[in-house]
Amino acid sequence: MLPALAALPEVVVPPIVRAATASGMTIMASRYALAPMAMVRLSLSCAPDDAVSHARSEVLAAALDKTLSDALAATGASVTVHRQGQWLGISVHAPSQSLEQVLEHLSRVVASPCADAAVTAWAVRQVTSRTVLAAGQPHLDSAVAFLRHLYQPVPAAMQPVADTTLVAGATAEVLARHQSRMISARGGHLVVVSDHDPEVTAAWCERYFADVADTGERRARCPAPDTGRTVVLDRPGRHQSHIRLAAPAIPRQDPAHLALSLANAVFGGYFSSRLVLGLREREGLAYRVQAVLGEHLDRHVILVEADTAPDRTSHTVGRIDWYLRQLTSSPITEQEVDQARRYMTGTMLISMSSQAGLAATFDASLVAGEDPENIPLVLERLAGVPACQVRQAAAEFYAPDRFGGVIVADTGADTEETR
């Protein structure tokens, strides 16, 4: 007989020092003294409103990446800049002795246009190269088809890749005007986790980022997704079929969201879930299969995805439908809820066991409009969600007729009629 599982460990959030700039940027500094390093994460609202703005935002992200990387090369810092949805994110991991220098350079590149002609030309080439390379990837093709099915038209902020013709039109002058219009302190936040005194760190942040202007918070809205039907898109010669389904969900602030999170974990949210154990481990139908709670700008959705062999497409679709129905017909057990709860709690503990993980967790909480210091309270509430509420969430949100999407496949290779 196996021994009883140990009690869930307590989740402790290190003390956080808060500050804010006059222009509306939130600052959070925390101390993690186990390593002489610093992790800085800056998130700024940056929601393109059309294809031109989207292309320029992609070039801007690449230009900021190169400018900041060049400026900090001597410190040994690593820099990552990316734009996703309605956020521009900048991450810097550097030796703690360089933290003040990092903050100074970071504030400088976002406070005012900094890309000259040479950097802009480099950024245009980089974005064009990435876009052309991505265009040939089957997963991108299915992702684009999925979004076009759900949203007509797809909001510019959600477009997976930029229009290379519009990318080519970016010049240093154009990019400077775009940065002045798009980058704003309002609604943004800066998270720093290091071995420095957080009071000192917060004071540095306030001083250096005081010049980032408030040009207004940019937010994009998403139309309601069309999940009432599933369409088949024929891709002759495709060596793998992609199944992409979605259903409406609820925001994280909803009282029922924790129960939904547990129901999703039981269904397809981790390696011991019903969908993964069934489709992948027992039936061998899909190497990649998952169910996640996602966000499309301000819309919340349940996403179910599976990749399978072309000749097994229809069978796999039918099995996904069966597992959705089984979630109600074979009710979620107390043991399944406990396993999912432990997985979610353990994932959070792992994510908060390093500077990078802690900063990423704080950043994700702020992006979601939540308070990082409430993480232990959320996990405490998670521990108290009864199985009956999880079963209720499963019955409400995982009915098969709530899901719609696309099946991207070589239909001629299917051994059954693809529906």
Side-chain angles (χ1 to χ4, degrees), residues 143-165:
V144 171
F146 183 46
L147 290 175
R148 286 177 178 170
H149 172 76
L150 294 179
Y151 309 106
Q152 298 181 3
V154 179
M158 287 175 56
Q159 291 286 356
V161 292
D163 184 324
T164 53
T165 303

Side-chain angles (χ1 to χ4, degrees), residues 105-125:
H105 282 289
L106 178 56
S107 64
R108 188 181 303 163
V109 300
V110 299
S112 60
C114 59
D116 58 22
V119 169
T120 302
W122 179 91
V124 167
R125 291 194 300 271

Side-chain angles (χ1 to χ4, degrees), residues 2 56 62 81 112 159 165 223 236-237 239 304 319 321 333 351 384 391:
L2 293 175
R56 292 173 180 173
V81 181
S112 60
Q159 291 286 356
T165 303
H239 297 296
V304 178
R319 295 302 290 164
D321 181 85
T333 66
S351 73
R391 288 192 284 268

Side-chain angles (χ1 to χ4, degrees), residues 76-98:
S78 61
V79 177
T80 303
V81 181
H82 69 280
R83 194 211 62 78
Q84 183 174 11
Q86 49 194 357
W87 292 96
L88 174 72
I90 303 177
S91 301
V92 183
H93 196 203
S96 60
Q97 63 187 23
S98 305

Side-chain angles (χ1 to χ4, degrees), residues 150-151 225 227 246-250 292-296 299-303:
L150 294 179
Y151 309 106
T227 59
I250 51 178
V292 298
L293 301 181
E295 294 180 4
H296 288 169
R299 291 282 175 180
H300 301 267
V301 290
I302 303 168
L303 302 171

Side-chain angles (χ1 to χ4, degrees), residues 339-358:
Q339 289 175 335
R341 192 169 7 236
R342 288 175 179 276
Y343 169 77
M344 293 172 64
T345 303
T347 300
M348 180 61 69
L349 284 169
I350 292 172
S351 73
M352 298 176 67
S353 63
S354 67
Q355 282 184 337
L358 200 59

